[in-house]
Every structure is written in structure tokens, then in C-alpha cells.
Amino acid sequence: MNTKIKSLIIFCVAIICSACESLYDDLFSSPQEGVELTITAVREGIGPDSRTVRLEDGSVEWLPMDEISVFYGNDNNGGSKFTAQNTMQTAIAEFKGRLTDISAGGENFTDGKYIYGVYPYSLKTRFNNGITTISLPTHQTAAEGTFYNGLFPTIARAQGVNLAFYNICGGVKFTVSRDDITSVTFKGNAGERVAGMANVTFDSSDKPIVLDEEIESKNEITVYAPAGGCFEVGKDYYIVAYPTTLTSGFTMTFRTSDMKEGSYISETPTTIERSIFGIVSEADSKVTEWTDYAMGGGGYNSGIYLGIIGFNDIPYPYPISELTESSKPDFYSFIDDLNMKIGTTLYYSVDRAITTLQTATYPSDLYNVAIVTFTDGLDQGSHMRDPSHGTDEAYLAAVRSRLTQEKVAGREISAYSIGLRGSDVDNINKFYDNLDQLASSPDNSYEVSSIDELNTTFQQIAGQLEQTSYLQKISIKIPGQANGTKVRFTLDNVSSAENSKLYIEGVFDLNTRSLTNVTYNGLTSTSGETVNGTVDGIFVTFDFDGIVTNNKTVLSKNYIKHWNYVTSTSSWQINSEFDKNENAEVITEKRSMVVMLVLDCSSSLSTDFPKVQENAKSFIETLLSNQSGNGNTNPGSNLVGSQWIDPTFAKALERQGYIFDAETTTPAEVADITEIDVSGTNSSRGSITSLRGIEYFTSLKSLSCAYNSVKAIDISTNTRLTTLNCSYNTLSSLDISKNTRLTELDCSNNQISDLDVSNNARLTSLICSDNKLSQLKVNNNVRLTYLNCWFNQLTQLDLSKNTQLTTLFCGSNKLTHLDISKNTQLTELYCHFNQLTQLDLSKNMQLRGLDCGYNQLTQLDISNNTQLTNLHCYSNQLTQLDISKNTQLTYLYCYFNQLTQLDLSKNTQLRGLDCGYNQLTQLDISNNTALTRLLCYGNPGTNRQFRIKAWFDNSNVSSAITEDEYYQSSWTYDGSTVSIYYYK
């Protein structure tokens, strides 16, 4: 029964220590081992994990919110949690919690039944008939002069409420001589147990003793320097270990920040005693050889394995270990201890991550190997850590080669990159190049616009990793077919076999009851090209083993359909009697995976760094939850039909074969669709007015809904979109701030008055023409090569950051100034119908097409634009036009200007010319024998005659020119008729 038990918890861990001249340190000065503890059972406290801190005199005191496990009877889940109520560090603390089976008043316990207390509190701790099972981590974090959080275990028992706590472990106190030691590994030379799980009881003198029986024992301990840094020379640090005798001595392996390791070996038998810490001073100075190392680890149990590398100017590694509920706090502690420093050895750290993966031990069912890298900017020092590559570019290429070509335990590496562009990043192209090259595919490269988006991205990647750890088997039962019948099993819920992108196909062999010439589209299988069937009467069952889809999605039997090919009609006929529930089975097996998490710890993260740490721990939690089957399901996955999706939109999807039934499809069934095209045409517009439900298409990469009547669109959850075409709708706004992967956007011919593309830094093509935009800021869109913003209301356009731009349509706006001096890659420029008074083209030497008509230009210098083939400078105020350097010109339209002469002698490739409505009196086209179109009307000529020197004359006018539909042989100018006169 639950009873309030009053009073005071007193904890004073005073440890018996022995003095030893060379091996042992009198670590704790007090000879007293325990004091009384009184429990007040009021309410279970909730507080963070904490540690017991050691003082200079050797005593150990409680910190506020320290927690203990209390047992009064058998319990496998950590017992009852009691939390310290003290507000300052003290030797005496009051604990509160809730305990059952205590007599009223709290003073009368059942005869012979003890109450047990264990520090620290842990769900891993259990108690059974006088034996307490505890866990001591094999990966420990050091704290100068004391112990890290919850590291040093103690135990107490009593038949009353007064408990005396005693130490369980001992270990080693060590110092180092080098200032670059990041970790120390300690192990017995004969492989004795030093950490892991152990059973503890009390001996005849009421002192704790660790039993010899082994439970998930570990034979080595690695202790890491505080805050992910290096141990300080001359400072004391502790390795906590179970009492044992190291019969053949011990080995200490030291690892440095530049990934070197060296070992000190003592062959002298050594005993680790309870409460005693042996001194090992500066053993790193006795190392004779330092070699390169790759941190290994791993294990043989099926499950998920995790390793971490934090990096700034050096990498801080946490070795690959099995991720379980019991090991999770060790990973968390490592992440919490990471600190920021100047420098980002990005390439070097990913390079080390690959090597680490290749040196670890894994279970036989390992299938998925992944590296997840978070970076806030560029690399700043990897070539200093490994100068063999010479340059940053060479190092990045080398790492890319390793990611795409090398394998881990026979498996390819799936690499993911997440980038949060830091304020110190001035080379944006390099930033994106880093992200792209450190991801195994474009889909695996993410940019987050703020630290708040990082967690969402981590969760997306965790979900993808979960999917890629599945291996499936499909069993399909069908009636026996005529010999030679072609059979197809579609797996993607299509309404016609032709539309399927995920299917198995083969030819039925009646004699052998098998499928031959089997092909797999969108997936692979270990069953091969011939699959033998299992016969049951007239039915044959085919098993396809080792199924993995190309996009790593999980198959469902709900999507399976059986089709036969009808030769006479050259079409597929569905087997309407096929019952997917009775005739199909999908067996899904989750296999082991390993993930290397590479975390940027550079100082430019500033106040965002704690959020990075929290998000990294959330990522680990999600990996663990998914592995244990506790992950979140897709919100709304059980919704059916029009209640979650617009009916008209759903019908369009059904017609196009994306879904099978608009009335019964659920959100879960569309989550894997990657491409949608429900566009109408100019002559046959679609009827869609709403895309409600698009938020459930979370894998969508390409969306086209042009030529409909969509009024609004919410694509905030479609974060994988790379292509969006929503042109020719009735949109008044468009929010693409969450769609950071977009590379192509066409939102033309809408009613959009504001378009923010600042978060869409991957855009290479932007078409926003025919809208109501009064401003457009593309400073962040440094990858743009194509920009069409004509027919808007823009008064200015800053293109200074868009140095990769090759095509620019900015006509039909209100621009009075256009600076394209930084756009040296431009090949096409269309800036007509603006208010430009000048246009500097001197830096645009790649220009091939130019339309600057309908402006207010008084001069146009195109002498540097020698690649020009098309020039449209009509309707300006030009008095002269020098095209002598533009020998590649094929079309020239310079009508409606004030030209008095036009020299075409160098333009021998000219095919079309319109120089009408100028002040020309004559024209020489004798060198322009390629001309097929000539328009020159509206000029004054001389004496009512416009003389044209050509390669023909009036008696032999070229039909190539006169056949032009716009050809005129005369016109009226100033009230008089002017006629063309050709002469040679």
C-alpha cells in the first residue's frame, strides 16, 4: 500500500580507500562509508539526470535534483524514482517519491524484507530477490577532478527507512602529458569484464559485491575528454570500472585530435577494488608508436547502430555503438558536451566518418548504411588536416568519390546533407556545391532557412532511413494460365497496367508451372528471371524474395493487381476475380542499419548551437522509436475520400492513374507519389479549383497544375518539391518559403502581387511573368540561369548576385535602369517595353539575342557583343547604329528610330532586316546575299526614290525578298510616294 513516510534523506558517501605508493591514490579521505537516509514518500519527483560531485577532501555530495532508484520488492523498470529536494550541493538531502508496500507511519517493514536504494536512477536497473542488476556505461565522459553525470554507482539497503549507501565500483585516476588527447580506452589484457551489466548483492559484512556471472558484459571502457575537447595536461580524470582482477595487466589506448592512436601496455597483474582508484600518471608519454586510426565499434546484435562525429577545427568522435534505450543517454551526454570553436573541417570529418563505418563490426543482416551531415557553411581547414589533396576542391571530389563508389560491409552508402547557411558564407555557390557533393543524390540534399526547420528535416531523414531498412517478400496466388501467357503484377495501385511504374512481369510456363523471363520494374528481387510456382489444385503461388523498391518505399498488398496480356487486342486485361486479401501477402522484415551523424560545432552557429544539439537528440530518439515500431503514423492516414482531398482534384488524379479510386483512397496511399501532372491546355482548360489534400503527398517532387482555376495552393508540407508549374490559374498569392528544394518554378499568368523567393536559393529557372508584381528580389537566387518576369509592374531589378544568368526576360515592366554588368554569362536579353534611357552591354560578350525595343535609348554600343545573331532595337531614339563588329547577325530590327545611315557591309549572314521608319536615304545590301526578308518602308529616300544597292537590280528583283508577306515596293512619306529602286 502507498503510505507517506516522513523525514529526511541523508546521503554521505564516504569511501574506504587504501594508500599505495605507486598504484593507488587515497582518493577519499573519510573512512566512514555511509550515513543514514530517511525517505518521505509524498510524490514522485521529476528532474533532469544529474551527478554526484566529488569534493577536494574526497567526500561526495548530492546535487539538486539528483535521482535514485528505490526498491521494496522485485521490479524490472528502475524501481521507484526519488528526487532530491535540496537547492544547493549538500551531503544531506531530502528525497521525495512514491513507494508501495510500506506500513503506516513508515517505520515497520516486513521482517526480513529490505528497502534498497541505487544511485543513479535508471530504467535499466532492476531488482530480484536480493540481487540488483545495474549498468555501467562502456562509453564515459570525463569531468575534471570528479565524476560525470550519473556515472559512479552506489547502493544501500536497510530494514527501515534509514539507508547507508556504499560504492560499487573503483577504477583508475589518470593524467596525460599531451594536450591533444581526446579519448582514452582502458581494458584488461585478458578480456576481463570492466563495464556493461552486472549483478550486485551484499556480502556478510553488508558491503556490496559484484557477482562473477556476466550479463551483457563489456571488456573495455572509453572515456572522452570533457566538452568533446581534449584532456588538460596535469589534471585528474577518472575511469569508473567494476571490481575485478586484471590477471595479465591492462592496456590504455590514447587517441588524439588528429586521429592518431598509441597504446601503453602494463603486463603487471592489477586489481580494481571497490572504492579504490589506481593512479596512472602520463602513460601517454610512454607510447612508442602513434598510428592513424579509425574508430571502430559496432556489434553483432540485430538493430540500429549509431556513431557521431562533432567537428570544428578538429573532429570529436563517438564510436559506433548499438542504439538502445539503455545506450541512448550515453549518446545524449556526448552531444550535450560538444562545444563550439572556430573552424569547420567538414570534408575531413566526413572522410573520417566513411573510414569509421568501414572498420566497425556489424550484424549479418545489415542493410542500410547512412551518413547524415549537418553543416552551417564552408570547409575551413580540411586540407590542413590532410594535405595530400592539396586544395579544397580536390578534397571535396575525393570525399564525393568515396561516398558514391566505396561500400560498407558490401552495402552502398546513403549520404544526406543538411545546410544552414551561416552569416560568414560569402561564396554561396560553394555552399551549395558542398551540400550536393556530400549527398548521395539530389533528393538527399537539404537546405534549411532557419534552425527551427532543422528538426523537421532530421525527422524526414529519419523516416526515410526507416523505410530503407526494410526487406520484403511478396507471395501472389493466381489460377494457372495458358502456356506462354504474359502476366503482370502491378504494385502501385494503378487503374491500367500501362500506367504502372512498379511491377513484376513474366511469361507463364504451363509445363513447369513457373514464370520465365521475369522482369522487375521499379524494384529488384533476389528471385531472378525464373520463379517456380507452388501448385494447389488449379492455383499457382509465386514467391518473390528480397524485394527492394528503387525509391526504398514499403509495399502494401492493398495495391497489388493481376493482369494478363491479350495478344489479339494488344492490351492488358485485369483479373477482376483476383482478391488481394485472399491471394496476396507481403511480408516485411526490418533489418539492421548503421548511421553516422556528422555535426558542425563551429562558432558561427552562435546561439543556435543548443538547438542543434536538441535537434540531434530528437533525431536519435526518432531513429530509436522507428526501430522499435513506435514511430508516428501519417496524420490523417485513416481518412477516406473527399473528406481529406478535394473531389475534383481526386477525380483528376484518378483519370491520370495516380490513384485507383477517388472515393476510397487514403492519405497513406498517396504519401509515396513523387510526380503529379493534372494540367489542362490552352484550348481545353482543367476544372480543378482547389488542391486540398496536396499536403499528404509528402514525397512529391514534381507538381504541374497549369491551365486550371486554382485560387490558392498550400504546399508547405511538400518540402521535396523540385519542380512546380502552377501557371495559368487564378492565384493571388504563392508561399514557397518551405519549398527550399525548388529548382524550377513557373507561376506565370496568375494574379500574384507579391512573390518571395528568398528561401529558394536552389532555383535555376523562375518564370513569374504576367502577374501583378511591383518588386522582385532575387539576390539569394544565385543559381538562376533563366528568369522571365515580363508583363509585371517592376520599377527596379537587382541582378548583381545572379552571375550565372543566361536568359533574361524583363520586358513590359516600368524599368528605368537595368544593370547587367555582373551577368557576363547572358546569352539572351529581352528588356523591351520599359523606360530605359541607356543600356550598358560592354560586359555581356556572350550575348546572342537582344530585344531592347520600345525604350528611350539614344545610343546603343554593341561593339563588344560579337556573338549577336538577333538584334531588336526598334522604337527607340537612336541616331546611329554601328554593327560592323556584329558579323554573326542574322536578324536586325531597328525600325522606328532616327537613323540616317546603316552600314551592313560586314553583316554577310543577315537573313532578315527591318529598318523602316528611320531617316535613311539609301541602303547598301550588296554583301547581304543571304537576305530573305527586307522591310525598309517609311524612310525619306532621295527625290522620291529609295535607292538600294544589291546583288540584283530592278530587272531581276530577288524573289527571296519580294515573296516576303510584308514586302512593299513603295510607300508614302511626307505626302509623297517613295519607290524602291534596286541597282547593282
Side-chain angles (χ1 to χ4, degrees), residues 68 96 169 245 260 280 315 354 380 394 402 409 416 454 489 516 556 655 737 765 803 820 907 963:
I68 59 173
K96 291 185 179 180
C169 297
T245 298
K260 301 287 185 180
V280 181
I354 299 170
Q380 297 176 346
R402 294 195 70 189
Y416 299 80
L454 178 59
F489 304 116
T516 61
S556 170
R655 286 193 300 271
S737 59
S765 175
T803 57
I820 52 173
N907 311 105
E963 288 178 359

Side-chain angles (χ1 to χ4, degrees), residues 582-620:
E582 295 292 332
N583 305 125
E585 183 179 14
V586 177
I587 301 172
T588 301
E589 175 187 354
K590 183 176 287 188
R591 292 169 296 172
S592 297
M593 67 174 169
V594 58
V595 180
M596 280 296 301
L597 183 58
V598 184
L599 290 174
D600 196 324
C601 306
S602 59
S603 57
S604 59
L605 287 164
S606 187
T607 56
D608 283 336
F609 186 62
K611 292 184 180 179
V612 173
Q613 292 171 299
E614 290 304 312
N615 290 339
K617 290 190 290 185
S618 178
F619 172 70
I620 293 173

